[in-house]
Every structure is written in C-alpha cells, then in structure tokens.
C-alpha cells in the first residue's frame, strides 16, 4: 500500500519507497531505544530527554547500534526491502516497551498513567496485527510475558494488570477478527 501511495504522488512506480519507510521505522525505534537506555542510566522514568550535547549523541549512537548491527533481527537483505518484517520488529519492540512502562506505572500506583499507556499499547498492537495477521501469535506471547512479569512483581497485583491490559487487547483482537472475516 505504501509503494502504491508514493507512486500515485510521483505519478510513476517508486519501488524503493517500502525500503525507505523500513529504514525510517528503524531510525524512529533507535530514538526510543536511546531514550530507554538514558532512562536506565539516569534511573528516571519521567525524564524523556536525551541529555544535551555529546551525551545526546552517545545515546543516539547506542540506540542506532542496538537496532542495527547489534540486533539479531537486523538482516540488511530483509530490512532494506518492502517486507513487513522490519515493521513487525519495530511495532513488537514498541509494544513491549509500552507493556514494560504499564507495569512500571502500576508498580508506582499511577493508574491514570497506566491507562494512558494501555491506549498507546492498544494502538500499536493494532498496527502490529495489521502488518501481518500471524503477528497475533507474537502479541499473545508478548502479553503473556507482560502478565508473567506482573505476576512475579510483588508491587503489582495481577488483577490490576489484567484490568489495564485486558481492555487494551480488544482493539487488536477486533482488527484480527475483521481481517479473518474479510
């Protein structure tokens, strides 16, 4: 669909639009990974900045390395194509990060933040399902891991995690069912 839309704009076939979009997805994910790394170093869940000057570039370089050369899912002959594998890797990673932040919000007792993150989780999970319907298996495995982490954490009640994450799964499941019916 992306190649088709870009080709409409250019009024000619643009075969490399999918590969460029996949590269853009990885660059966006690199920024997210850099922010997660900085949060881990500063031990702050509220600081979303990347620091200033050289510190910012160090974290961005680390994020770039972690999503490319150091990532087991980064295979150039697959990533630089229009395949949905790059989109799957990025959306699954973002969904996992959102699940982790939901658990952090629940552990700190911030239910409003957990609900906000659950809406974001739901939207990214819909994108994951829309890339490939078989990604439902990945979403179920990821959700199971998140709930297992909630079960193991003494600061989080499993029922509370289910109340937040359960409704967040309705939209991706609806998308999957609609695809199957279609």
């Amino acid at each position: 669909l992306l190649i088709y839309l870009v080709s409409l704009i250019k009024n000619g076939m643009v075969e490399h639009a999918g590969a460029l979009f996949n590269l853009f997805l990885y660059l966006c994910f690199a920024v997210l990974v850099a922010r997660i790394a900085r949060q881990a170093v500063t031990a702050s869940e509220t600081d979303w900045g990347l620091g200033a000057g050289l510190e910012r570039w160090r974290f961005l370089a680390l994020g770039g390395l972690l999503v490319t050369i150091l990532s087991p899912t980064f295979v150039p002959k697959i990533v630089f194509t229009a395949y949905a594998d790059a989109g799957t890797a990025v959306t699954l990673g973002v969904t996992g990060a959102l699940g982790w932040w939901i658990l952090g919000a629940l552990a700190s007792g911030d239910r409003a933040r957990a609900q906000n993150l659950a809406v974001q989780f739901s939207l990214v999970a819909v994108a994951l399902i829309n890339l490939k319907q078989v990604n439902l298996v990945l979403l179920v495995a990821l959700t199971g891991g998140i709930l297992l982490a909630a079960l193991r954490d003494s600061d989080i009640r499993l029922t509370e995690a289910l109340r937040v994450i359960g409704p967040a799964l309705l939209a991706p499941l609806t998308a999957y069912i609609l695809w199957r019916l279609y």
Side-chain angles (χ1 to χ4, degrees), residues 3 18-19 22 25 77-88 131-132:
I3 294 170
N22 283 346
L25 280 175
K77 67 181 181 180
I78 294 175
V79 170
F80 297 121
T81 63
Y83 295 154
D85 296 332
T88 296
L131 284 169
K132 291 195 270 183

Side-chain angles (χ1 to χ4, degrees), residues 1-121:
L1 187 61
L2 179 72
I3 294 170
Y4 172 71
L5 293 175
V6 171
S7 296
L8 280 179
I9 293 170
K10 187 180 180 293
N11 201 17
M13 188 63 169
V14 183
E15 297 169 355
H16 60 280
L20 290 174
F21 186 72
N22 283 346
L23 180 62
F24 177 73
L25 280 175
Y26 271 108
L27 291 174
C28 291
F29 191 57
V31 173
L32 176 67
V33 170
R35 287 181 171 178
I36 290 171
R38 183 160 189 279
Q39 279 182 338
V41 169
T42 61
S44 169
E45 288 189 25
T46 58
D47 183 9
W48 276 99
L50 285 170
L54 187 58
E55 180 187 25
R56 172 183 297 155
W57 287 108
R58 286 180 181 157
F59 281 109
L60 286 173
L62 177 64
L65 286 173
L66 289 174
V67 300
T68 55
I69 296 170
L70 300 178
S71 172
T73 65
F74 189 82
V75 179
K77 67 181 181 180
I78 294 175
V79 170
F80 297 121
T81 63
Y83 295 154
D85 296 332
T88 296
V90 170
T91 53
L92 187 66
V94 172
T95 308
L98 288 166
W100 173 40
W101 291 325
I102 288 170
L103 294 181
L106 289 174
S108 65
D110 191 354
R111 181 159 168 93
R113 183 168 174 259
Q115 290 287 353
N116 186 9
L117 290 167
V119 170
Q120 296 172 43
F121 178 93

Side-chain angles (χ1 to χ4, degrees), residues 78-167:
I78 294 175
V79 170
F80 297 121
T81 63
Y83 295 154
D85 296 332
T88 296
V90 170
T91 53
L92 187 66
V94 172
T95 308
L98 288 166
W100 173 40
W101 291 325
I102 288 170
L103 294 181
L106 289 174
S108 65
D110 191 354
R111 181 159 168 93
R113 183 168 174 259
Q115 290 287 353
N116 186 9
L117 290 167
V119 170
Q120 296 172 43
F121 178 93
S122 181
L123 293 173
V124 177
V126 168
L128 178 67
I129 297 298
N130 279 326
L131 284 169
K132 291 195 270 183
Q133 288 69 51
V134 74
N135 287 347
L136 179 66
V137 175
L138 296 174
L139 181 61
V140 167
L142 178 67
T143 304
I146 292 167
L147 293 175
L148 182 62
L151 179 67
R152 302 273 305 155
D153 192 333
S154 61
D155 294 334
I156 303 170
R157 292 192 344 250
L158 182 61
T159 55
E160 188 69 20
L162 285 170
R163 274 190 231 131
V164 172
I165 294 174

